[in-house]
Amino acid sequence: MADAEPKGVVLLDVLKNTFGQRCRIALAEKGVEYEFREENLRDKSPLLLKSNPVHKRIPVLIHDGKPVCESPIIVQYIDEAWPHRAPLLPADPYARAQARFWADFVDKKVRPPYADASHLCKLKGEEQAAAKEEFIGILKLLEGELGDKKYFGGDAFGFVDVALVPFVSWFYTYETCAGFSMEEAAPKLVAWGKRCMERESVAKTLSDPQMVYEFVDRLKKRIGVE
Ligand code: GS8
């Protein structure tokens, strides 16, 4: 019955997926009950292909039969469809625009190519040193935006926090592969990550950093990187 016509709220996802974790954290923050359907990306379900015919990717949120694709759009949808609890985007239009800017920055700069094991972990010597410096620069920009706030959303856990927090599981892999200390390079971000982990929505969703590292290690072996 994996492809039964979905009712209520259904998330097509893969448990360890960074982008799906954003959606699961947002749903947990809102207290929304949903059905989790694990996809096999080597043999995508007809429901996934029908729900996301353009990209054919997870995550996809299906709400009363209507699919929503792309994690930042899904998280905004969740915020708007369940507005009465735990608002993720601020009410003020300018503050909303700023939050969207930084979430987009995460997608453009933290994700590709840095979360991609074939990049920071694959490079060697000067190339890796340059990529590492660039990445540390990106972390510093994020720290500048965080400032002395508890969360990117201020006192409240918000849209940028949801966008970035799944990458906390990758911190160990970044520092181990590229040979630097996250604690030294970005102490405020590390402290923010620990604060986020105190939230049940985050703690129950994020991948184990060691598992992420082992996943990257396997990937490196598969693509022939020492
Ligand atoms: C990225 C989703 C994505 O890359 C988002 O939702 O934010 N911008 C999108 N999904 C991948 C799994 S994670 O690497 C995916 O579904 N890949 C399967 C495929 O491309 O065939």
Side-chain angles (χ1 to χ4, degrees):
M1 291 295 283
D3 278 311
E5 200 54 43
K7 297 215 172 52
V9 183
V10 175
L11 188 69
L12 308 183
D13 199 3
V14 168
L15 203 54
K16 63 176 194 288
N17 185 262
T18 308
F19 305 100
Q21 287 173 357
R22 291 172 167 173
C23 308
R24 279 176 266 150
I25 290 167
L27 289 164
E29 287 288 331
K30 296 281 184 179
V32 176
E33 297 282 328
Y34 65 99
E35 181 193 339
F36 181 89
R37 288 199 198 175
E38 177 87 10
E39 278 289 329
N40 174 1
L41 295 182
R42 290 195 197 93
D43 182 19
K44 296 174 184 173
S45 72
L47 182 59
L48 172 58
L49 300 176
K50 183 177 111 182
S51 305
N52 190 354
V54 176
H55 298 303
K56 304 177 180 63
R57 289 178 151 187
I58 51 99
V60 177
L61 182 87
I62 308 176
H63 187 191
D64 291 336
K66 292 175 291 195
V68 184
C69 305
E70 293 291 308
S71 63
I73 295 169
I74 296 172
V75 173
Q76 288 184 62
Y77 177 80
I78 291 168
D79 200 30
E80 289 168 7
W82 292 278
H84 304 300
R85 183 170 160 184
L88 297 172
L89 277 157
D92 173 66
Y94 186 72
R96 286 170 85 83
Q98 290 304 103
R100 289 191 182 111
F101 173 87
W102 284 104
D104 183 60
F105 178 85
V106 170
D107 269 3
K108 291 192 169 117
K109 297 290 190 185
V110 180
R111 195 235 159 163
Y114 304 100
D116 177 351
S118 65
H119 187 74
L120 197 59
C121 296
K122 186 172 92 174
L123 297 174
K124 298 228 184 294
E126 279 178 22
E127 270 187 343
Q128 190 184 61
K132 180 172 76 180
E133 283 321 303
E134 196 186 341
F135 186 57
I136 290 173
I138 288 163
L139 298 177
K140 297 263 184 241
L141 286 169
L142 284 166
E143 284 203 322
E145 171 57 17
L146 178 64
D148 293 323
K149 293 179 295 201
K150 183 174 179 191
Y151 297 115
F152 284 89
D155 287 335
F157 182 78
F159 187 59
V160 182
D161 299 287
V162 174
L164 183 61
V165 78
F167 291 102
V168 169
S169 300
W170 285 77
F171 285 2
Y172 174 69
T173 299
Y174 298 145
E175 62 183 0
T176 311
C177 282
F180 70 100
S181 155
M182 277 293 300
E183 183 68 54
E184 278 170 32
K188 281 187 177 177
L189 269 192
V190 171
W192 161 85
K194 288 184 183 145
R195 272 197 301 283
C196 291
M197 280 296 274
E198 288 166 12
R199 304 183 75 82
E200 197 192 338
S201 65
V202 176
K204 73 175 188 194
T205 305
L206 256 52
S207 300
D208 173 4
Q210 186 63 34
M211 273 176 50
V212 174
Y213 180 75
E214 284 165 16
F215 162 74
V216 171
D217 208 44
R218 283 198 300 278
L219 202 66
K220 277 166 67 178
K221 290 197 174 95
R222 205 163 71 217
I223 62 175
V225 178
E226 283 295 293

